[in-house]
Amino acid sequence: MKQLSDSLLIQSYHKAIELNLSDEFIEQIKREINARSIQHLLDKHISHVG
């Protein structure tokens, strides 16, 4: 996951939820989002998608 851009990581998080992937995988993505301090991009992505 370290190689993913911030944008792709956020997209992957939303897609993992949409596809109902394992909670463990989603948590792994969330940990990486938190480690990068890019939680604000989650809201930004939702506003563009929704």
Side-chain angles (χ1 to χ4, degrees):
M1 278 194 217
K2 303 265 185 221
Q3 291 86 13
L4 295 177
S5 68
D6 291 349
S7 178
L8 192 53
L9 184 64
I10 297 297
Q11 290 175 35
S12 298
Y13 172 76
H14 289 291
K15 195 66 169 179
I17 291 173
E18 179 185 324
L19 295 174
N20 199 29
L21 299 183
S22 74
D23 290 341
E24 183 179 321
F25 181 68
I26 293 170
E27 282 300 317
Q28 186 177 10
I29 297 172
K30 283 171 63 173
R31 282 193 297 272
E32 182 62 23
I33 289 169
N34 290 332
R36 295 185 191 192
S37 298
I38 58 171
Q39 300 89 337
H40 64 282
L41 295 178
L42 287 175
D43 296 333
K44 185 177 179 183
H45 182 80
I46 290 170
S47 68
H48 288 299
V49 173

